[in-house]
Amino acid sequence: LNQPKTMSSESKKDEASGTRGTLFGAGGRFRGGTDPIMERFNESLSFDKRMYDQDLRGSMAYAKALVQSKILTLEEGELMAAGLFQVRDEWKSDSFVEKP
């Protein structure tokens, strides 16, 4: 999986609509908001900010392994890689925006 030159039209549609696309499913399992205790327990952005490069390298290796083992198609792996490269670029340029 290499850094993509351009996004597929499907990725652009997902990005424009704010949806996650078919790879990740359409919705969550739970209704209502997240309990503040769980939000504090699950908070990891302070670590992510320091470890983003290592974390994304590991995610890229895992995505590649999923393609090689045929769990993901090459197209799905490339979509995942495109998203990971986008996140990497946002962290690197300090333009990453946390979304609840």
Side-chain angles (χ1 to χ4, degrees):
L1 301 174
N2 297 314
Q3 186 166 3
K5 301 287 187 236
T6 60
M7 294 179 80
S8 71
S9 60
E10 192 64 35
S11 295
K12 289 178 185 175
K13 278 190 255 178
D14 288 346
E15 187 177 271
S17 67
T19 64
R20 288 180 163 200
T22 58
L23 183 61
F24 296 102
R29 292 180 185 250
F30 305 105
R31 294 181 187 195
T34 304
D35 187 291
I37 293 171
M38 186 60 198
E39 287 179 6
R40 286 192 306 274
F41 176 76
N42 202 35
E43 189 281 320
S44 67
L45 281 179
S46 59
F47 293 101
D48 295 342
K49 287 177 184 176
R50 291 182 284 170
M51 303 291 292
Y52 79 87
D53 190 55
Q54 294 84 349
D55 187 24
L56 290 168
R57 283 193 222 181
S59 295
M60 283 299 302
Y62 189 60
K64 192 179 236 182
L66 291 173
V67 170
Q68 289 174 345
S69 63
K70 300 191 186 317
I71 293 171
L72 293 179
T73 66
L74 181 59
E75 182 181 0
E76 290 170 330
E78 288 174 348
L79 286 170
M80 187 175 285
L84 291 167
F85 280 113
Q86 179 180 348
V87 169
R88 184 204 60 192
D89 292 345
E90 289 175 6
W91 278 112
K92 191 181 275 190
S93 68
D94 202 28
S95 65
F96 180 83
V97 177
E98 178 183 358
K99 296 180 182 176

